[in-house]
């Protein structure tokens, strides 16, 4: 079948909407009709070359969809089911899957690195030439073929526009709080970067019962959003040294948890420098490839500080996404205010330009 899809042909270019040929799903795969695609910074990292991907590829890894057709052997979902594609495929049986860390499964890495599905081929062609998948999702296409293990069925009455945000921004941010850091009630938290993902770290910290939630950003509009989502203090990194200001706000002690949700060595170091003894810094942002960060060994040893990272919210999506849906329905997780703008799919480049300018929080393209 034919589908309009946004292709990145080379680093530094805009997305090119072209009509591609989508092949039917093979064994263990499903054809999904995209409802909404989330505009996440990780796709932008690929466009600018900060993050490697096999090209040309149909980008997009956050989204919501309806199952259009299932391939041979698929019993977990059926035509008409509403689903969220999961950008980290997992096998379910390896040591990491068994231990509750499916985002570390080798199958996810394979699909991400090769741009092909597990059998080593793609389901997209343009003029007979192979087009790669992105993270096994490629949500910037009217139709996509994904492994059945990489879709999660959601309730039919759950709004598909807001569901799209759960698939990356929300699970990544809230999951980093719940699963990676395991933020304790009454604790202090600093968040570096209050964009689409960082804002979910902020609301995750609020849900977890953190007492002090200090949001850092360079843009005043983001800090305004941060307050709406539960930040108790905001710091503009353009005007103040956030590390010093965090020490002042915590009576010199430092915070129990610091999250870096930007993807820069300098802000990772700031997050680490903001910690109390035994504090934990969690890196969520994706830094340009080959970048390194250094930290003073003295505080690592004599203060027992922890520096770690979190991919895909260190989550188990099949239990975490239903939990997020429950939290939204209970009025505790903000999704309506998170979705600040919708664009028709034809305006996907405008959506990324607005993200680059720092407008809004999270936007989606609709099909
Ligand atoms: N100091 C403080 N804030 C900064 C700085 C800085 N030096 N540089 C950028 N920021 C802020 C931006 O103003 C913006 O609000 O970081 C935020 C980044 O947010 P978004 O652009 O909305 O990106 P998002 O989708 O949240 O992704 C953030 O997480 O998943 C990863 O790949 C993703 O690395 C990216 C990061
Ligand atoms: Zn993302
Ligand atoms: Zn596995």
């Amino acid at each position: 079948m034919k589908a309009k899809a946004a292709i990145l042909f080379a680093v530094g270019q805009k997305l090119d909407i072209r009509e591609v040929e989508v092949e039917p799903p093979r064994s263990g795969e499903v054809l999904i009709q995209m409802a909404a695609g989330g505009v996440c910074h990780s796709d932008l990292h690929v466009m600018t070359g900060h993050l490697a991907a096999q090209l040309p590829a149909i980008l997009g890894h956050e989204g919501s969809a309806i199952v259009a057709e299932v391939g041979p052997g698929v019993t977990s979902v059926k035509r008409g089911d509403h689903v969220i594609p999961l950008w980290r495929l997992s096998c379910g049986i390896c040591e990491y899957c068994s231990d509750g860390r499916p985002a570390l499964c080798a199958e996810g890495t394979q699909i991400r690195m090769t741009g092909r599905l597990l059998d080593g081929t793609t389901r997209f062609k343009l003029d007979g030439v192979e087009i790669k998948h992105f993270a096994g999702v490629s949500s910037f296409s009217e139709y996509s073929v994904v492994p059945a293990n990489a879709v999660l069925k959601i309730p039919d009455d759950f709004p598909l526009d807001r569901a799209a945000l759960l698939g990356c921004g929300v699970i990544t941010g809230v999951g980093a709080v719940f699963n990676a850091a395991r933020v304790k009630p009454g604790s202090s938290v600093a968040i570096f970067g209050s964009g689409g993902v960082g804002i979910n770290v902020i609301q995750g910290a609020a849900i977890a019962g953190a007492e002090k939630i200090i949001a850092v950003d360079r843009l005043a509009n983001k800090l305004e959003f941060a307050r709406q989502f539960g930040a108790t203090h905001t710091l503009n990194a353009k005007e103040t040294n956030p590390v010093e200001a965090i020490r002042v706000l915590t009576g010199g002690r430092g915070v129990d948890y610091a999250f870096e949700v930007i993807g820069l060595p300098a802000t990772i170091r700031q997050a680490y420098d903001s910690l109390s003894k035994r504090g934990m810094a969690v890196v969520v942002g994706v830094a340009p490839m080959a970048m390194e960060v250094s930290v003073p060994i003295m505080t690592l040893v004599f203060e027992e500080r922890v520096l770690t990272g979190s991919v895909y919210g260190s989550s188990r999506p099949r239990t975490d996404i239903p939990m997020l849906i429950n939290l939204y329905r209970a009025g505790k997780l903000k999704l309506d205010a998170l979705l600040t703008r919708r664009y028709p799919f034809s305006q996907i480049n405008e959506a990324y330009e607005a993200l680059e300018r720092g407008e809004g929080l999270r936007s989606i393209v609709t099909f």
Side-chain angles (χ1 to χ4, degrees), residues 349-364:
N349 284 307
E350 281 86 334
Y352 272 99
E353 283 154 19
L355 177 71
E356 249 182 319
R357 288 195 299 271
E359 291 171 20
L361 269 183
R362 206 55 156 188
S363 56
I364 54 167

Side-chain angles (χ1 to χ4, degrees), residues 57-132:
I58 299 171
L59 294 194
H61 61 283
E62 185 178 282
S64 58
I66 298 171
V67 175
E69 189 185 331
V70 301
V74 174
T75 54
S76 53
V77 287
K78 58 180 190 313
R79 191 185 151 85
D81 281 353
H82 292 193
V83 293
I84 293 176
L86 307 173
W87 60 256
R88 215 59 201 186
L89 173 67
S90 54
C91 73
I93 55 169
C94 72
E95 82 176 277
Y96 299 105
C97 286
S98 305
D99 206 26
R101 282 291 194 266
L104 301 178
C105 180
E107 283 195 354
T109 313
Q110 183 189 328
I111 279 205
R112 174 67 182 80
M113 292 306 157
T114 62
R116 297 190 174 99
L117 298 184
L118 284 182
D119 70 355
T121 63
T122 80
R123 302 291 162 270
F124 302 121
K125 283 204 171 67
L126 179 70
D127 304 327
V129 178
E130 173 190 80
I131 300 291
K132 301 287 197 326

Side-chain angles (χ1 to χ4, degrees), residues 40-42 45 193-198 216-219 222 237 261-264 267 284-286 355 361-362:
C40 177
H41 210 118
S42 299
H45 283 324
S194 306
V197 181
V216 183
D217 206 287
R218 289 189 308 190
L219 299 174
K222 304 284 175 169
V261 208
I262 303 165
L264 293 172
T267 43
V284 180
V286 180
L355 177 71
L361 269 183
R362 206 55 156 188

